[in-house]
Amino acid sequence: GESGIALAQEVKLATASGVRIVTIHEKDPALGGCEFAELFQATPTELLDAGLYSSIALVMHPAPHRVISLALVAQALGASTA
């Protein structure tokens, strides 16, 4: 839909500007999560061709693994334990 088209445009602009994209995959159905194949199918071809998923997406697992998922996402975004 329209929001997907707008998001695709934002991602294209960000990557063209050198912004590092961190992909995060929500797996918890209670939070709108889905199988990765659904995301892959819904991603515009130009973003796939540009390598949007060239890095493995970080997975947000439901509890009891949620805390670990959050820590891995924070680490990927630059957080440290210092």
Side-chain angles (χ1 to χ4, degrees):
E2 265 186 55
S3 60
I5 293 168
L7 176 60
Q9 287 295 87
E10 287 183 40
V11 171
K12 283 192 263 185
L13 288 172
T15 55
S17 299
V19 173
R20 183 176 65 100
I21 303 295
V22 177
T23 52
I24 302 170
H25 172 212
E26 179 60 67
K27 288 277 293 187
D28 189 342
L31 297 173
C34 64
E35 292 300 319
F36 188 76
E38 292 179 48
L39 295 177
F40 199 79
Q41 291 170 349
T43 303
T45 305
E46 63 266 20
L47 294 180
L48 293 174
D49 292 345
L52 179 62
Y53 300 129
S54 60
S55 296
I56 295 175
L58 299 167
V59 181
M60 292 298 298
H61 292 284
H65 307 293
R66 189 74 172 188
V67 173
I68 294 169
S69 295
L70 287 168
L72 292 171
V73 167
Q75 187 177 45
L77 295 173
S80 66
T81 59

